[in-house]
Amino acid sequence: METEPLQANTTPFFHVSVLSQELIEGLAICPGGHYLDATVGGGGHTELILAAAPDVEVTAIDRDANAIAAAKTRLASYNGRVNFWQGNFAEYQPNDRVFDGIIADLGVSSAQLDLPERGFSFRHAAQLDMRMDQSQSLTAKDIINNWGEVRLADVFYKYGEERLSRRMARRIVEKRPFQTTTELANAIASCVPPKYRYGRIHPATRVFQALRIVVNQELESLESFLDIAPHWLKPGGRLGIISFHSLEDRIVKHKFRELSTNCSLLRVLTKKPTVAQAEEIQHNPRARSAKLRFAERRELSTQD
């Protein structure tokens, strides 16, 4: 059956920040402090940091050029108190600058999910893209149409924790090439048992998560970032990470523990992650899966 041509969406970039109150309280923002927002998105968390105390500055990073543009517009009134850098936070170089606090809000933003042409969601027909940084070459379409069946199954299982990964990979290889998100989602749904097909979540959800993670090398970037970011903090400075699925949260938890016990670089402040309250979830259902962990920089050692 023919489909209508895909239309570009002109909806402005808009992202609803999660756990905002908890994040700002945990940062313990000080007047005149300099903070790093490693995933600025639409600028919501950065705006709260700037408003929390006098003369605060923020260095704001994002891989998505649209996010940087939206944040610049939103934060224009702060008169040069925000410095922007576009790129992967794992590749950022602070050039001997140290921060009073660092935050990262991981995963895909509301705007990326809601703009059909970005290809992150199967709610609308769109090209299989999923790139956070649209200057990179690898897309979800490349992976789906060119990678082997075993490799696809491994990706779905490892990064999507999908127990029917082999069955789904087999169907994808049988039916490809795919052009759009909905074509892929329908092919996945067609190969699973009815109970699975009509369950709590769409059967393609975990596959789309896995593809997004691989396209953007999210977990590798997170591990690299957590290795270097604590060294950018002043003594007493805090690092806050918001994650949205178990793979991310596990990395944050283990890295914080490692840097606290093996080299005493950090002090873990959240033995258990902070989660969204019922009122926030009611207004923003995506906050339901958010988890916030904080660690604090210990005093500088002679090895640092």
Side-chain angles (χ1 to χ4, degrees), residues 142-166:
D142 296 327
I143 294 172
I144 284 297
N145 290 329
N146 298 312
W147 288 18
E149 180 180 326
V150 172
R151 192 178 183 189
L152 286 175
D154 288 345
V155 163
F156 302 159
Y157 185 77
K158 180 178 180 180
Y159 297 111
E161 299 178 297
E162 175 53 67
R163 64 184 182 86
L164 298 182
S165 59
R166 295 189 183 281

Short mmCIF file of all heavy atoms in Angstrom, two decimals, residues 142-166:
data_model
loop_
_atom_site.label_atom_id
_atom_site.label_comp_id
_atom_site.label_asym_id
_atom_site.label_seq_id
_atom_site.Cartn_x
_atom_site.Cartn_y
_atom_site.Cartn_z
N ASP A 142 20.67 2.67 8.28
CA ASP A 142 21.88 1.94 7.91
C ASP A 142 21.99 0.64 8.70
O ASP A 142 22.32 -0.41 8.15
CB ASP A 142 23.12 2.80 8.19
CG ASP A 142 23.17 4.06 7.36
OD1 ASP A 142 22.68 4.03 6.21
OD2 ASP A 142 23.67 5.09 7.86
N ILE A 143 21.72 0.71 9.99
CA ILE A 143 21.84 -0.47 10.84
C ILE A 143 20.81 -1.53 10.46
O ILE A 143 21.13 -2.71 10.26
CB ILE A 143 21.70 -0.06 12.32
CG1 ILE A 143 22.89 0.81 12.73
CG2 ILE A 143 21.58 -1.29 13.23
CD1 ILE A 143 22.75 1.42 14.12
N ILE A 144 19.55 -1.11 10.37
CA ILE A 144 18.46 -2.04 10.10
C ILE A 144 18.62 -2.73 8.74
O ILE A 144 18.35 -3.92 8.59
CB ILE A 144 17.10 -1.31 10.18
CG1 ILE A 144 16.73 -1.06 11.64
CG2 ILE A 144 16.00 -2.10 9.48
CD1 ILE A 144 16.52 -2.32 12.47
N ASN A 145 19.06 -1.99 7.74
CA ASN A 145 19.10 -2.53 6.38
C ASN A 145 20.41 -3.22 6.01
O ASN A 145 20.46 -3.93 5.00
CB ASN A 145 18.80 -1.42 5.37
CG ASN A 145 17.36 -0.96 5.43
OD1 ASN A 145 16.47 -1.74 5.74
ND2 ASN A 145 17.12 0.31 5.15
N ASN A 146 21.46 -3.03 6.82
CA ASN A 146 22.77 -3.55 6.42
C ASN A 146 23.42 -4.51 7.41
O ASN A 146 24.27 -5.30 7.00
CB ASN A 146 23.73 -2.38 6.15
CG ASN A 146 23.27 -1.49 5.01
OD1 ASN A 146 22.91 -1.98 3.95
ND2 ASN A 146 23.27 -0.19 5.23
N TRP A 147 23.08 -4.44 8.67
CA TRP A 147 23.73 -5.31 9.63
C TRP A 147 23.14 -6.72 9.56
O TRP A 147 21.96 -6.90 9.25
CB TRP A 147 23.59 -4.75 11.04
CG TRP A 147 24.45 -3.54 11.28
CD1 TRP A 147 25.03 -2.73 10.34
CD2 TRP A 147 24.80 -2.99 12.54
NE1 TRP A 147 25.72 -1.71 10.94
CE2 TRP A 147 25.61 -1.84 12.29
CE3 TRP A 147 24.51 -3.32 13.86
CZ2 TRP A 147 26.13 -1.05 13.33
CZ3 TRP A 147 25.03 -2.54 14.89
CH2 TRP A 147 25.84 -1.42 14.63
N GLY A 148 23.97 -7.73 9.89
CA GLY A 148 23.53 -9.12 9.82
C GLY A 148 22.53 -9.48 10.92
O GLY A 148 22.40 -8.78 11.93
N GLU A 149 21.84 -10.59 10.71
CA GLU A 149 20.79 -11.02 11.64
C GLU A 149 21.32 -11.23 13.05
O GLU A 149 20.70 -10.79 14.03
CB GLU A 149 20.14 -12.30 11.12
CG GLU A 149 19.02 -12.84 12.01
CD GLU A 149 18.41 -14.11 11.44
OE1 GLU A 149 18.33 -14.24 10.20
OE2 GLU A 149 18.02 -14.97 12.25
N VAL A 150 22.43 -11.92 13.19
CA VAL A 150 22.98 -12.20 14.52
C VAL A 150 23.38 -10.90 15.22
O VAL A 150 23.12 -10.71 16.41
CB VAL A 150 24.19 -13.16 14.42
CG1 VAL A 150 24.88 -13.30 15.77
CG2 VAL A 150 23.74 -14.52 13.91
N ARG A 151 24.00 -10.00 14.47
CA ARG A 151 24.41 -8.73 15.05
C ARG A 151 23.21 -7.91 15.50
O ARG A 151 23.23 -7.29 16.57
CB ARG A 151 25.25 -7.95 14.03
CG ARG A 151 25.97 -6.74 14.61
CD ARG A 151 26.81 -6.06 13.54
NE ARG A 151 27.56 -4.94 14.10
CZ ARG A 151 28.25 -4.07 13.37
NH1 ARG A 151 28.29 -4.20 12.04
NH2 ARG A 151 28.90 -3.07 13.94
N LEU A 152 22.16 -7.88 14.69
CA LEU A 152 20.94 -7.16 15.08
C LEU A 152 20.34 -7.76 16.34
O LEU A 152 19.95 -7.03 17.27
CB LEU A 152 19.92 -7.21 13.94
CG LEU A 152 20.18 -6.34 12.72
CD1 LEU A 152 19.14 -6.61 11.64
CD2 LEU A 152 20.21 -4.86 13.08
N ALA A 153 20.25 -9.07 16.39
CA ALA A 153 19.68 -9.73 17.57
C ALA A 153 20.48 -9.39 18.82
O ALA A 153 19.91 -9.13 19.89
CB ALA A 153 19.64 -11.24 17.36
N ASP A 154 21.79 -9.39 18.69
CA ASP A 154 22.64 -9.05 19.84
C ASP A 154 22.41 -7.61 20.30
O ASP A 154 22.38 -7.34 21.51
CB ASP A 154 24.12 -9.25 19.48
CG ASP A 154 24.49 -10.72 19.35
OD1 ASP A 154 23.70 -11.57 19.80
OD2 ASP A 154 25.56 -11.01 18.79
N VAL A 155 22.25 -6.70 19.35
CA VAL A 155 21.99 -5.30 19.69
C VAL A 155 20.66 -5.17 20.42
O VAL A 155 20.57 -4.48 21.46
CB VAL A 155 21.99 -4.44 18.40
CG1 VAL A 155 21.31 -3.08 18.65
CG2 VAL A 155 23.41 -4.23 17.90
N PHE A 156 19.61 -5.83 19.91
CA PHE A 156 18.29 -5.72 20.55
C PHE A 156 18.32 -6.30 21.96
O PHE A 156 17.66 -5.77 22.86
CB PHE A 156 17.23 -6.45 19.72
CG PHE A 156 17.10 -5.97 18.30
CD1 PHE A 156 16.53 -6.78 17.32
CD2 PHE A 156 17.53 -4.70 17.93
CE1 PHE A 156 16.40 -6.34 16.02
CE2 PHE A 156 17.40 -4.25 16.62
CZ PHE A 156 16.84 -5.09 15.66
N TYR A 157 19.07 -7.37 22.15
CA TYR A 157 19.13 -8.02 23.47
C TYR A 157 19.98 -7.21 24.45
O TYR A 157 19.59 -7.00 25.60
CB TYR A 157 19.69 -9.43 23.33
CG TYR A 157 19.68 -10.22 24.63
CD1 TYR A 157 18.50 -10.78 25.10
CD2 TYR A 157 20.84 -10.36 25.38
CE1 TYR A 157 18.48 -11.49 26.30
CE2 TYR A 157 20.83 -11.06 26.58
CZ TYR A 157 19.65 -11.63 27.03
OH TYR A 157 19.62 -12.32 28.22
N LYS A 158 21.13 -6.75 23.99
CA LYS A 158 22.06 -6.05 24.88
C LYS A 158 21.58 -4.67 25.26
O LYS A 158 21.64 -4.28 26.43
CB LYS A 158 23.44 -5.96 24.21
CG LYS A 158 24.49 -5.26 25.06
CD LYS A 158 25.84 -5.24 24.35
CE LYS A 158 26.89 -4.53 25.20
NZ LYS A 158 28.22 -4.49 24.52
N TYR A 159 21.09 -3.91 24.28
CA TYR A 159 20.76 -2.50 24.52
C TYR A 159 19.26 -2.25 24.71
O TYR A 159 18.88 -1.18 25.18
CB TYR A 159 21.28 -1.63 23.38
CG TYR A 159 22.78 -1.65 23.27
CD1 TYR A 159 23.41 -2.26 22.19
CD2 TYR A 159 23.58 -1.07 24.24
CE1 TYR A 159 24.80 -2.29 22.08
CE2 TYR A 159 24.96 -1.09 24.15
CZ TYR A 159 25.56 -1.71 23.08
OH TYR A 159 26.93 -1.74 22.98
N GLY A 160 18.44 -3.22 24.32
CA GLY A 160 17.00 -3.07 24.53
C GLY A 160 16.45 -4.06 25.54
O GLY A 160 15.28 -3.98 25.90
N GLU A 161 17.30 -5.01 25.97
CA GLU A 161 16.89 -6.07 26.90
C GLU A 161 15.62 -6.76 26.37
O GLU A 161 14.68 -7.05 27.12
CB GLU A 161 16.69 -5.49 28.30
CG GLU A 161 17.96 -4.88 28.86
CD GLU A 161 17.80 -4.25 30.23
OE1 GLU A 161 17.03 -3.28 30.34
OE2 GLU A 161 18.43 -4.74 31.18
N GLU A 162 15.62 -7.00 25.05
CA GLU A 162 14.48 -7.59 24.36
C GLU A 162 14.64 -9.11 24.30
O GLU A 162 15.55 -9.62 23.67
CB GLU A 162 14.38 -7.01 22.95
CG GLU A 162 13.31 -7.62 22.09
CD GLU A 162 11.95 -7.61 22.75
OE1 GLU A 162 11.40 -6.51 22.96
OE2 GLU A 162 11.46 -8.73 23.07
N ARG A 163 13.73 -9.83 24.96
CA ARG A 163 13.86 -11.28 25.04
C ARG A 163 13.49 -12.00 23.74
O ARG A 163 13.88 -13.14 23.52
CB ARG A 163 13.03 -11.83 26.21
CG ARG A 163 11.54 -11.65 26.08
CD ARG A 163 10.83 -12.15 27.33
NE ARG A 163 9.39 -12.03 27.23
CZ ARG A 163 8.59 -12.93 26.69
NH1 ARG A 163 9.11 -14.03 26.16
NH2 ARG A 163 7.29 -12.76 26.66
N LEU A 164 12.75 -11.33 22.85
CA LEU A 164 12.42 -11.91 21.55
C LEU A 164 13.33 -11.36 20.45
O LEU A 164 12.95 -11.25 19.29
CB LEU A 164 10.96 -11.65 21.19
CG LEU A 164 9.91 -12.25 22.14
CD1 LEU A 164 8.51 -11.95 21.63
CD2 LEU A 164 10.11 -13.75 22.29
N SER A 165 14.55 -11.03 20.81
CA SER A 165 15.46 -10.34 19.89
C SER A 165 15.75 -11.16 18.64
O SER A 165 15.81 -10.60 17.54
CB SER A 165 16.76 -10.01 20.61
OG SER A 165 17.38 -11.19 21.10
N ARG A 166 15.94 -12.47 18.78
CA ARG A 166 16.28 -13.29 17.62
C ARG A 166 15.11 -13.37 16.63
O ARG A 166 15.29 -13.30 15.41
CB ARG A 166 16.72 -14.68 18.07
CG ARG A 166 17.99 -14.67 18.88
CD ARG A 166 18.54 -16.06 19.13
NE ARG A 166 19.73 -16.01 19.96
CZ ARG A 166 20.94 -15.70 19.53
NH1 ARG A 166 21.11 -15.41 18.25
NH2 ARG A 166 21.97 -15.68 20.34
#
